[in-house]
Each structure stands twice: as structure tokens, then as C-alpha cells.
Amino acid sequence: KNEVEQSPQNLTAQEGEFITINCSYSVGISALHWLQQHPGGGIVSLFMLSSGKKKHGRLIATINIQEKHSSLHITASHPRDSAVYICAAYNAGNMLTFGGGTRLMVKP
Amino acid sequence: DTEVTQTPKHLVMGMTNKKSLKCEQHMGHRAMYWYKQKAKKPPELMFVYSYEKLSINESVPSRFSPECPNSSLLNLHLHALQPEDSALYLCASSQDFGVSNQPQHFGDGTRLSIL
């Protein structure tokens, strides 16, 4: 069992829908990183958080340390949001454990 | 625009070739990382450099040879690769190694194909 689990693995949405991607982890972490990877390959940092909630534009990330759970929300989804979203947990030594990724497709 | 620059973006090579991947960052970061990512899988750590010294080698075959000539530059020398080495190779950097809550910044990767 992976120490960082994401759900769903695949997600198809219609443009404008509210999207939630979940991430659960079973190990102690110092922080959690939400990343976005487009088909071209490059990984873009969305949020790094260790508590509470962060918001940037249409993206919102939350984390509940007690429940070892984080969510990434996309409001008013758009086809350009189509990508793979990866949650990755930092341990105390700042090494990353990656989740399996969520493949999101937003249809016009 | 990524702050970690990787070249080339694509590389096709034969199993007997020798080639190198290059990664550069000018953020003053002292830790640099190489990851390998197969299709539809998460990245897997290969090497970590801290202050230009190799800190972690995740049992990577010797046909992959990393080099950190200075604090801004990280190379990955390739020789006698196998078809299963075809993957996306990602470089990342962070302010320090082993210090918590320092984000890793990723490059766009080099997509490597071994014929």
C-alpha cells in the first residue's frame, strides 16, 4: 500500500463544474505539496501547505493534519485545467513521497 | 516559466551512445535532485546532491552517472542505456537538503527514448 493515496485516479468533468481531488497519507509529514503535470511533462507547483487552507485563483487546497487528509478543489473548471494532479508528502528530511496522480479531463 | 531549466527537452539515443542531460537553476538552491518518471507513474528519486556532493543514490545502475560541477548545474551522463530506461527525467532543486518545509522546484523534464 502506497503511503500517499489519491482519489479518484481518473476524473472527467464538464466545463464549469466544481472538482475535488483527495489525498490521504499514512505517515507523519512536515508538509504536503500539490503539483500539476501537463502532457508535455513539466511539473508545476500549485500549493505547499502544512495546515489550514490556501487559495490561488480558482484553486483551493485544504489539509487536515489530524485526519491525514488533503483536498484540492477547482472551482469553475475549464478545459485548460486538464492535467495530472499529484499530491506529494514531505517527510522531516524534506524527501517526497508521491501519490499516484489524478488524471483530470475537463470537457467543453 | 520554470525556474529550473532542463536541456534537451527530447533525446533519442541508441544503446551504445553516450549523452548527457543538463539541469540549471539560478535560485541559489543548494540541493538538486534527479527523478525518473515512467508513463502514468509518479516520479522516482534517483539522486540527490547537496552542496555539490552526492548525498543520496537510490541504487541507480552505473550506466547513469550524475555530476554537479557547481551549485547551479547538475548533469546526468548516460552510457549504454537499455530500452527500459526510456522515461521522462526530471530535475528539481530546493533551498537546502534535509531541511523541512522547503519546496522542491521542478523543471520541464527531458523525454528520453532509447532505441
Side-chain angles (χ1 to χ4, degrees):
Chain A
K1 187 178 185 299
N2 195 10
E3 294 174 333
V4 179
E5 296 277 352
Q6 283 185 240
S7 62
Q9 290 185 344
N10 297 283
L11 181 57
T12 301
Q14 287 298 129
E15 184 174 356
E17 285 185 358
F18 180 84
I19 289 165
T20 296
I21 299 171
N22 294 301
C23 177
S24 297
Y25 52 92
S26 58
V27 295
I29 67 168
S30 63
L32 194 96
H33 210 153
W34 280 102
L35 305 163
Q36 180 192 56
Q37 187 170 32
H38 281 280
I43 291 180
V44 174
S45 173
L46 298 177
F47 299 101
M48 183 173 173
L49 66 167
S50 53
S51 65
K53 177 180 175 179
K54 287 190 176 181
K55 184 177 188 294
H56 181 70
R58 295 180 295 105
L59 301 179
I60 302 166
T62 63
I63 189 167
N64 184 317
I65 298 294
Q66 287 73 31
E67 294 184 4
K68 292 187 168 62
H69 181 270
S70 177
S71 293
L72 177 69
H73 306 285
I74 304 175
T75 62
S77 59
H78 191 275
R80 65 174 174 267
D81 297 326
S82 298
V84 177
Y85 292 84
I86 303 170
C87 76
Y90 287 93
N91 64 15
N94 219 47
M95 300 304 293
L96 281 171
T97 300
F98 293 89
T102 294
R103 281 163 186 78
L104 172 65
M105 179 180 293
V106 181
K107 295 183 176 179
Chain B
D1 287 340
T2 182
E3 296 168 317
V4 176
T5 304
Q6 290 187 242
T7 54
K9 292 193 182 304
H10 301 275
L11 179 62
V12 180
M13 57 187 286
M15 289 189 284
T16 58
N17 292 157
K18 286 186 181 180
K19 296 284 185 185
S20 297
L21 310 185
K22 180 179 170 182
C23 174
E24 205 161 358
Q25 56 86 17
H26 295 286
M27 295 177 282
H29 288 176
R30 310 307 299 201
M32 295 186 78
Y33 310 75
W34 278 118
Y35 290 90
K36 173 182 177 180
Q37 187 179 23
K38 299 286 280 185
K40 299 188 178 182
K41 298 288 187 183
E44 297 174 352
L45 183 67
M46 300 174 73
F47 303 104
V48 181
Y49 271 81
S50 175
Y51 286 87
E52 302 158 44
K53 296 277 192 293
L54 183 65
S55 294
I56 290 179
N57 176 343
E58 291 285 1
S59 302
V60 179
S62 60
R63 57 186 185 268
F64 294 91
S65 175
E67 178 198 20
C68 192
N70 60 60
S71 59
S72 300
L73 188 56
L74 183 66
N75 297 320
L76 186 63
H77 303 298
L78 314 172
H79 174 53
L81 295 195
Q82 303 297 310
E84 61 265 27
D85 297 322
S86 297
L88 180 70
Y89 289 83
L90 290 159
C91 174
S93 70
S94 65
Q95 188 66 45
D96 293 290
F97 171 63
V99 177
S100 59
N101 292 338
Q102 292 187 357
Q104 291 186 25
H105 299 250
F106 288 85
D108 286 339
T110 293
R111 194 162 296 281
L112 176 66
S113 297
I114 307 299
L115 300 179

